[in-house]
Amino acid sequence: MPKVTEKYIADKKKRITDAAYELCLQKTVSTVTMQDIIDRVGLSQGGIYRFYKDIDEIFADMIRQMRERVSIKGKIDEILKRKDELSPREITNLLFMMLADFMESELMGIEKIDFELSVLAMNMPQRIEKIMGGLPEVGNMEYLTIRTMEYFQEQAARGRIHPSVNEEELLAFISSAYGGIQMTCIVNNCYRHERNPLTALYQPRVLLKTLAQTVNHLIGADGEDETKKEHSL
């Protein structure tokens, strides 16, 4: 009997997680079953259980691969490296436009799955703990929160921004607003079929631009570019 290699196991597991990902795009995450994945991959029931003991193990591996495939951490770092070159207002705008690019490109992919996992977390928190608990590194939004917190604290200490709320409250607001925008865009683009007069405005770039303007107001960056121009005249 031929020896089962690590590559053989990795290839089989990749087929399984790819099938799970495709099913999560076609259905809601909570309705995808082990039998769905077995049917999609073409393995026997016993065959798939050689690699994963249950569907939540498959989802955990799927999310790990999603994070490796689509990471914005490098883009966050590149923008924040320019913190001395650009004004806080410009940094905020770049960060939110980068998020708009990410949300637009992944609205029907990672963003949809992430949103549905959030819904699953509300209904079955024990499953989410099992799925997410063993992941080795922080996700995109967690990383953005950590780096942005450091940035706001540094800029406030240097007197470059003057937030009207403390950094923790500001980041809680941004996180909540981003989640609301994510939900609104996904619901209107993925699930809702009736005509809504505001549909054209329920788009990532439109809503995140407004959120960037709001954040600039909250950190006291309103009008700083105009002030700079006046001083240079």
Side-chain angles (χ1 to χ4, degrees):
M1 185 175 180
K3 182 180 178 182
V4 175
T5 65
E6 288 186 11
K7 183 178 184 308
Y8 173 85
I9 294 171
D11 288 346
K12 286 288 186 185
K13 293 180 84 169
K14 180 75 163 52
R15 278 184 60 199
I16 293 167
T17 53
D18 283 351
Y21 179 78
E22 291 164 7
L23 285 162
C24 286
L25 299 186
Q26 294 169 10
K27 306 173 68 174
T28 57
V29 170
S30 62
T31 62
V32 175
T33 66
M34 197 67 151
Q35 191 60 52
D36 290 332
I37 298 172
I38 289 168
D39 293 343
R40 176 64 63 96
V41 177
L43 290 172
S44 67
Q45 194 168 64
I48 204 165
Y49 281 107
R50 289 177 59 199
F51 303 101
Y52 294 102
K53 64 183 180 183
D54 58 32
I55 194 168
D56 290 340
E57 263 197 6
I58 296 174
F59 284 162
D61 233 5
M62 177 189 77
I63 293 165
R64 186 179 297 110
Q65 290 170 19
M66 281 166 45
R67 287 184 174 183
E68 290 172 357
R69 180 175 62 83
V70 182
S71 174
I72 59 173
K73 296 175 187 176
K75 293 178 181 177
I76 294 167
D77 290 341
E78 284 301 314
I79 292 170
L80 292 179
K81 275 182 186 176
R82 304 179 68 189
K83 62 187 178 183
D84 294 325
E85 167 194 346
L86 301 176
S87 69
R89 179 190 178 100
E90 290 168 317
I91 291 289
T92 299
N93 291 340
L94 285 175
L95 285 172
F96 278 100
M97 288 307 98
M98 180 270 298
L99 285 174
D101 290 340
F102 173 69
M103 192 181 284
E104 283 182 345
S105 65
E106 291 296 331
L107 191 65
M108 300 293 286
I110 289 174
E111 290 284 90
K112 173 185 179 291
I113 293 171
D114 182 58
F115 166 67
E116 291 172 354
L117 286 170
S118 299
V119 175
L120 187 63
M122 289 186 283
N123 297 316
M124 303 183 71
Q126 70 280 7
R127 281 195 67 190
I128 290 299
E129 177 57 33
K130 186 176 178 183
I131 294 168
M132 308 296 286
L135 295 178
E137 59 179 29
V138 299
N140 286 319
M141 294 304 114
E142 296 166 281
Y143 185 76
L144 177 61
T145 299
I146 293 167
R147 291 301 319 276
T148 306
M149 171 73 82
E150 295 168 348
Y151 170 73
F152 283 151
Q153 289 173 338
E154 178 196 339
Q155 296 296 300
R158 293 173 59 187
R160 297 192 75 203
I161 63 173
H162 305 280
S164 54
V165 295
N166 67 45
E167 289 87 358
E168 290 84 358
E169 291 171 334
L170 178 59
L171 286 168
F173 167 75
I174 294 171
S175 176
S176 300
Y178 182 87
I181 289 170
Q182 179 192 52
M183 179 185 71
T184 298
C185 291
I186 289 170
V187 166
N188 279 274
N189 286 277
C190 300
Y191 308 122
R192 187 167 291 169
H193 300 293
E194 71 268 21
R195 186 68 182 162
N196 187 314
L198 295 177
T199 295
L201 300 178
Y202 290 152
Q203 303 301 324
R205 195 161 301 277
V206 175
L207 296 175
L208 287 169
K209 180 180 178 183
T210 301
L211 181 56
Q213 293 170 341
T214 303
V215 171
N216 277 325
H217 176 70
L218 289 172
I219 65 174
D222 279 344
E224 66 181 9
D225 295 337
E226 289 77 8
T227 302
K228 242 195 282 185
K229 288 176 186 175
E230 289 174 9
H231 284 230
S232 66
L233 293 177

